[in-house]
Amino acid sequence: MRNQQPILYGYWRSSAAYRARIAVNLKGVEVEHRSVHLVHDGGDQHRAEYRQMNPQGLVPLFVDDDGTQVSQSLAIVEYLDETRPEPALLPREPADRAQARSFAQHIASEIHPLNNLRVLQYLGGELGLDDATKRAWYQHWVTLGLAALEPQAAALQGAFSLGERPGLLELCLVPQLYNARRYECDLSAYPFLVALDARAREHEAFRRAAPEVQPDTTP
Ligand SMILES: N[C@@H](CCC(=O)N[C@@H](CS)C(=O)NCC(=O)O)C(=O)O
């Protein structure tokens, strides 16, 4: 079924949805944003209507104007790059593409899944951990993950991953650092990541994707 325009299901504070918002903005794809509230009433991501579209029960979900549905933020990025090649989100050279993917996957597969909402809910619920212990868990995995990425940011020597432009690498970094700050992680050991994040956040596509300017933002 065709939509009038692509739809992006997300939530203002979801860092995975934040990645997808930056990606559509970088591509210049006009989308309708639909909010899936991840918290109230146990979370709209668990409702049957949403699960029918995305059995993974997570945001983001991208629904193209021809009805194609893509879940998982990195799959959305690659789908956008394949269906709308310009401007590219990945570098042209295979070695550089691999580096960008490696960085992105380290965030999406190694750092973020350990600190996702449902993991934190399980730690606090079934396992009975208090907030301070959950925060320690969070900070542990973030700092371990960022330490591994700092050399890659340093190797960019002040450039973006696409030279003049931010792309896949930065659209993963910025939401991850947003999350890190939210959970009061000490970022002082990662000056190259912090500088790259600050440069990327000045970019219009990143500014428009920021959690605090989304229509579903709540204080
Ligand atoms: N690997 C997925 C992660 C998606 C994900 O974990 N989304 C979170 C928000 S950041 C979510 O929907 N959480 C709902 C829950 O934990 O119940 C991606 O990159 O899209």
Side-chain angles (χ1 to χ4, degrees), residues 14-16 19 38 45 58-60 72-73 112 116-118:
S14 153
S15 66
R19 293 174 203 146
L38 296 185
Q45 72 276 28
L58 300 166
V59 294
Q72 290 288 338
S73 60
H112 178 263
N116 192 8
L117 175 65
R118 59 188 178 181

Side-chain angles (χ1 to χ4, degrees), residues 17-175:
Y18 189 1
R19 293 174 203 146
R21 286 198 300 269
I22 299 168
V24 294
N25 290 349
L26 284 171
K27 283 289 182 191
V29 177
E30 289 299 325
V31 299
E32 178 192 337
H33 290 276
R34 289 197 190 161
S35 178
V36 179
H37 201 297
L38 296 185
V39 186
H40 83 56
D41 283 346
D44 289 346
Q45 72 276 28
H46 303 303
R47 287 183 182 276
E49 310 90 81
Y50 186 70
R51 288 273 172 160
Q52 223 163 23
M53 289 188 297
N54 184 6
Q56 295 181 10
L58 300 166
V59 294
L61 173 70
F62 180 78
V63 184
D64 211 344
D65 51 13
D66 67 357
T68 302
Q69 300 187 355
V70 188
S71 55
Q72 290 288 338
S73 60
L74 297 191
I76 294 169
V77 169
E78 300 247 358
Y79 172 80
L80 289 171
D81 235 16
E82 286 162 11
T83 53
R84 291 125 170 126
E86 297 297 333
L89 298 177
L90 278 107
R92 302 262 174 232
E93 294 302 320
D96 297 336
R97 291 167 80 80
Q99 288 305 315
R101 285 188 172 120
S102 169
F103 189 100
Q105 284 177 28
H106 194 75
I107 289 177
S109 308
E110 309 296 337
I111 303 176
H112 178 263
L114 290 161
N115 293 330
N116 192 8
L117 175 65
R118 59 188 178 181
V119 171
L120 299 178
Q121 285 173 338
Y122 184 73
L123 292 176
E126 281 85 339
L127 300 188
L129 302 188
D130 60 25
D131 284 349
T133 313
K134 275 196 302 181
R135 189 169 298 261
W137 163 281
Y138 193 102
Q139 292 174 346
H140 173 75
W141 295 113
V142 168
T143 51
L144 201 70
L146 295 183
L149 294 175
E150 175 72 357
Q152 216 174 323
L156 289 174
Q157 299 184 315
F160 285 124
S161 61
L162 300 177
E164 300 284 293
R165 295 185 294 116
L168 170 68
L169 185 151
E170 290 82 4
L171 72 83
C172 288
L173 172 66
V174 167

